[in-house]
Amino acid sequence: AQHYGITTLGSGPAYVFQDGGVTKGTWNKATRTSMFSFKDEAGAEIKLNAGQTWVSIVPSNKPVNFAAQ
């Protein structure tokens, strides 16, 4: 098994997939006890749909591939 040192504080690029589409933006988490926030490329908050949400963390040196609709 391979392990990565993942930092979950600060900010970085994000892709939010919901309702059959993708929104590019950024994630942010200021402190260990704060919640993640997600903003689109214009800086507006990305509102997540009600229900369960999955977050996958990908090392910054690995590509994220997806087919846009």
Side-chain angles (χ1 to χ4, degrees):
Q2 188 171 16
H3 297 276
Y4 296 99
I6 302 293
T7 299
T8 56
L9 293 179
S11 63
Y15 297 92
V16 177
F17 298 91
Q18 60 185 3
D19 300 329
V22 61
T23 303
K24 291 182 182 181
T26 58
W27 64 269
N28 184 57
K29 188 170 193 297
T31 67
R32 186 180 65 79
T33 57
S34 63
M35 293 178 47
F36 281 95
S37 67
F38 300 94
K39 295 190 176 183
D40 65 19
E41 292 179 309
E45 179 185 357
I46 298 172
K47 298 200 186 293
L48 301 178
N49 291 340
Q52 292 181 331
T53 300
W54 284 266
V55 174
S56 295
I57 299 172
V58 180
S60 59
N61 65 341
K62 301 290 183 187
V64 175
N65 297 311
F66 60 92
Q69 300 258 335

